[in-house]
């Protein structure tokens, strides 16, 4: 698990970048996740993308 001082906005920004819906850079100080915290978040995002429900069969856009 990542440290408690991890700011949720940085996780959200990395997630947005991962699905091509935004930039990882945020307002000043424009920090990005690094090290173990970044690896953990990337792992969670990858798992979520691999196991997400196919909404095409429900005709949902």
């Amino acid at each position: 698990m990542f440290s408690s001082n991890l700011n949720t906005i940085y996780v959200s920004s990395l997630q947005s970048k991962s699905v091509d819906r935004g930039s990882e850079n945020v307002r000043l100080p424009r920090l990005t996740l690094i090290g173990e915290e970044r690896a953990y978040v990337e792992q969670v995002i990858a798992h979520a993308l691999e196991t997400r429900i196919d909404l095409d069969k429900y005709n949902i856009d």
Side-chain angles (χ1 to χ4, degrees):
M1 191 78 177
F2 49 84
S3 66
S4 61
N5 67 352
L6 181 62
N7 194 325
T8 308
I9 191 68
Y10 299 119
V11 173
S12 177
S13 296
L14 179 56
Q15 180 274 330
S16 295
K17 178 187 172 218
S18 297
V19 294
D20 297 325
R21 298 216 179 229
S23 171
E24 184 177 0
N25 295 328
V26 295
R27 291 185 229 142
L28 288 175
R30 290 186 173 83
L31 301 174
T32 58
L33 295 175
I34 58 173
E36 290 180 18
E37 292 173 331
R38 183 182 184 93
Y40 174 76
V41 172
E42 287 176 333
Q43 179 184 10
V44 170
I45 292 169
H47 176 72
L49 291 172
E50 291 169 3
T51 59
R52 67 182 169 177
I53 297 171
D54 180 11
L55 297 178
D56 289 338
K57 64 183 177 184
Y58 299 107
N59 296 321
I60 299 174
D61 293 328

